[in-house]
Amino acid sequence: MIKLGESPFRRRFAPLICTGVRLGYLVCVDTDGHLPKISAEIWRQIDLILAKQLFIETSRQDKPFETTEDILMHLLDGGFPSASYFRLRAVGTYLADFHPFAFALMDLTAYHSQYLGARHLKEEIGERFPDSHPFLYKGDVFLFLHRDSDVDIFTELAKEFDLKVIVSEAIRDLYDLPSLYRAAHDALDMIVKSNYHGENVCSVPQLRTLLLLKNLDSRDDLISPELRALAEHDRKKGTQYCETLYFYLIYSRSLKKTCDALFTHRNTVLYRIERIRDDFLIPLDDPERHAELLFGVAILLFQNEGAEFFLRTMPQTDDE
């Protein structure tokens, strides 16, 4: 029983819970002081009855889903207004007590055109990932992963069938799937369109920087005139000043690491850095400008070289 603000009346708040789903609250206003006299058992019965009624009414709001897959696709489409409503719909399906580690999105373009093996992809997924619950969503295969080791198995499968696969961020709550799916879909779209020939399986955390750049690549107004002049010189003269500046900054101005990344002699890199600083007036000696310079040159490289530039510089796995 709670008294709110300047109201003279106390109120009783009780959650209405049915089949483990919190559907709402029952609020009773005590206008004559008799509510505290009602026994806890009677209150419990009232709460249970109203919770069941609310459950039935909520269940009738939409056309019932025919399969669990329908529920998942409706969730991915952003069709559930609240987590409670989603959990209500999931009652009676495996989703009610389902806690996957992550999910994977699989592009089928290369599989359709190249794979000539005796077994089909669907059969292999069923054998190697028996609890993945795969289904087709917007042209890609969507399936759940339950442990870190699933990613290793996925790598073998993707190489065998020549697939491009993205593994999502960790799933903390199934209701978060729409936002996790958006990032995974954008990541998969990026590596497919860039014709990336590196790893068959990547993760959203690996590509997070690229996804940020993809959303900033139209913001020329955020890039300093000095950096734009540097990129224009590269374009006209075929030089590599932007690449040199990028590696120089990400490796904390280590000359050796910059040379190794560029496969370029130390004297050549030193000459470029001196020109970047002295001729193009890039403030390399001002640490407070380094973050701005790194973001700016990364956006320029993304605009001019595409995602492939960053993908080919990603660390490779030991077996590649």
Side-chain angles (χ1 to χ4, degrees), residues 233-294:
H233 186 278
D234 278 349
R235 188 184 67 81
K236 289 183 176 179
K237 304 294 184 180
T239 52
Q240 293 180 295
Y241 288 118
C242 283
E243 287 188 35
T244 301
L245 176 59
Y246 172 77
F247 287 114
Y248 188 59
L249 291 173
I250 65 170
Y251 288 125
S252 303
R253 302 174 71 192
S254 167
L255 188 61
K256 181 182 183 306
K257 291 181 178 179
T258 303
C259 293
D260 291 344
L262 292 166
F263 299 101
T264 305
H265 192 273
R266 184 177 187 275
N267 291 342
T268 302
V269 173
L270 267 176
Y271 170 76
R272 292 177 187 172
I273 291 172
E274 289 173 359
R275 283 212 65 192
I276 290 170
R277 182 183 60 236
D278 300 333
D279 295 351
F280 292 94
L281 304 179
I282 306 296
L284 295 178
D285 298 325
D286 184 357
E288 294 184 359
R289 297 286 301 279
H290 286 177
E292 168 208 330
L293 293 174
L294 180 56

Side-chain angles (χ1 to χ4, degrees), residues 5-188:
E6 299 179 357
S7 172
F9 305 118
R10 299 174 71 196
R11 289 167 171 79
R12 176 184 180 271
F13 293 84
L16 298 178
I17 300 173
C18 187
T19 67
V21 178
R22 180 171 295 186
L23 302 168
Y25 289 86
L26 171 64
V27 182
C28 300
V29 181
D30 189 11
T31 59
D32 57 8
H34 82 282
L35 294 187
K37 301 176 183 178
I38 300 175
S39 69
E41 178 60 25
I42 292 178
W43 276 125
R44 189 182 71 82
Q45 292 179 9
I46 293 172
D47 296 340
L48 285 175
I49 292 171
L50 291 178
K52 289 180 180 179
Q53 289 179 340
L54 185 56
F55 178 89
I56 294 171
E57 290 300 319
T58 305
S59 300
R60 290 174 177 169
Q61 287 181 11
D62 294 319
K63 180 181 177 180
F65 296 103
E66 294 182 1
T67 65
T68 305
E69 183 178 308
D70 293 335
I71 297 175
L72 282 172
M73 288 196 287
H74 193 64
L75 172 64
L76 290 168
D77 290 338
F80 290 108
S82 68
S84 293
Y85 189 40
F86 162 66
R87 295 187 181 100
L88 173 64
R89 288 298 188 175
V91 170
T93 73
Y94 70 82
L95 297 175
D97 189 28
F98 191 53
H99 307 286
F101 161 72
F103 68 84
L105 283 184
M106 183 187 310
D107 177 73
L108 297 176
T109 307
Y111 165 70
H112 283 313
S113 61
Q114 296 182 19
Y115 184 69
L116 300 175
R119 294 184 59 134
H120 294 292
L121 178 61
K122 185 175 181 180
E123 296 171 345
E124 291 292 340
I125 291 175
E127 181 175 312
R128 303 186 198 192
F129 304 97
D131 300 318
S132 61
H133 303 286
F135 61 96
L136 198 64
Y137 182 68
K138 293 186 177 179
D140 300 320
V141 175
F142 184 109
L143 67 160
F144 292 102
L145 306 178
H146 294 276
R147 56 197 69 84
D148 285 331
S149 59
D150 282 352
V151 178
D152 297 329
I153 303 173
F154 232 132
T155 301
E156 299 172 5
L157 185 71
K159 287 181 179 179
E160 179 182 347
F161 284 84
D162 198 15
L163 305 169
K164 293 298 183 185
V165 179
I166 288 293
V167 177
S168 74
E169 300 267 15
I171 300 174
R172 293 179 174 81
D173 189 317
L174 280 180
Y175 190 67
D176 296 334
L177 281 185
S179 60
L180 297 177
Y181 170 79
R182 179 182 177 184
H185 176 268
D186 287 349
L188 183 61

